[in-house]
Amino acid sequence: MKMVCMVAVIGLLASTRGQQGKPTLDSLAWMTGSWSGTSRGIEMEEHWTAPKGNSMIGIHRDVGKGRTLVFEFLRIEQQGDQIVYLSMPNGRSPATPFPLKEVSGTRVVFENPAHDFPQRIIYWKDGNDLRARIEGTIKDKAASEEWRWGPGSLRP
């Protein structure tokens, strides 16, 4: 009887673990919104749409001295049972894919070890702020860049 109960408990635990399954785009809804900040005289903004239709659409722009310095078209897509971050810096096509590596609460990591730089893209919430970090190696040396945006758009 003890063996039957033990097998039943193990089966129940295994089935609930499977039901938790893989994350969905809805688990990234905390990224949704308009985010902005200024660092070293550079105005930075990033905008993310809510998860819908198997995608989230984003755009990033840095402006300095009244000129667009950098922009990036972004997508996060549900592709089958996988979530993929797609990056198009300065509109470059095709997009570079970064498959989801991990997500927990309000932190997500996307990774593409084969990409030159970055190899990892990380987003997380820090209080009311959205933060992002890219990291990897350039010429065998560790490199990274980090952003911090508060809620809201920059004023014109």
Side-chain angles (χ1 to χ4, degrees):
M1 183 65 170
K2 286 183 182 180
M3 182 62 98
V4 171
C5 288
M6 189 181 308
V7 170
V9 168
I10 291 171
L12 180 62
L13 290 173
S15 69
T16 57
R17 185 180 316 211
Q19 288 172 358
Q20 291 172 353
K22 296 187 181 264
T24 65
L25 280 178
D26 288 335
S27 65
L28 303 180
W30 52 268
M31 293 173 63
T32 301
S34 293
W35 306 93
S36 63
T38 303
S39 177
R40 297 182 302 257
I42 306 296
E43 297 175 282
M44 309 166 296
E45 59 187 328
E46 188 147 315
H47 306 272
W48 283 100
T49 62
K52 190 179 205 178
N54 292 326
S55 70
M56 293 175 70
I57 306 297
I59 187 165
H60 176 94
R61 175 173 62 174
D62 290 347
V63 175
K65 297 181 182 175
R67 298 189 54 197
T68 297
L69 304 173
V70 175
F71 72 94
E72 190 166 8
F73 298 130
L74 307 163
R75 291 188 323 270
I76 302 175
E77 293 182 349
Q78 184 84 44
Q79 297 179 352
D81 66 347
Q82 187 175 24
I83 296 174
V84 180
Y85 181 101
L86 297 151
S87 171
M88 298 175 72
N90 294 318
R92 188 185 71 235
S93 186
T96 303
F98 291 84
L100 178 73
K101 179 173 170 90
E102 63 184 73
V103 63
S104 62
T106 56
R107 182 177 185 277
V108 62
V109 179
F110 300 94
E111 187 172 73
N112 179 343
H115 189 248
D116 54 2
F117 183 85
Q119 287 89 37
R120 272 172 308 291
I121 301 170
I122 306 161
Y123 282 88
W124 71 98
K125 284 291 290 291
D126 184 0
N128 289 326
D129 293 347
L130 180 66
R131 302 199 51 187
R133 177 180 172 89
I134 57 173
E135 58 187 34
T137 56
I138 300 175
K139 296 182 182 179
D140 297 325
K141 291 187 179 179
S144 65
E145 189 171 352
E146 205 165 295
W147 295 265
R148 180 184 203 118
W149 308 285
S153 297
L154 293 171
R155 295 179 185 210

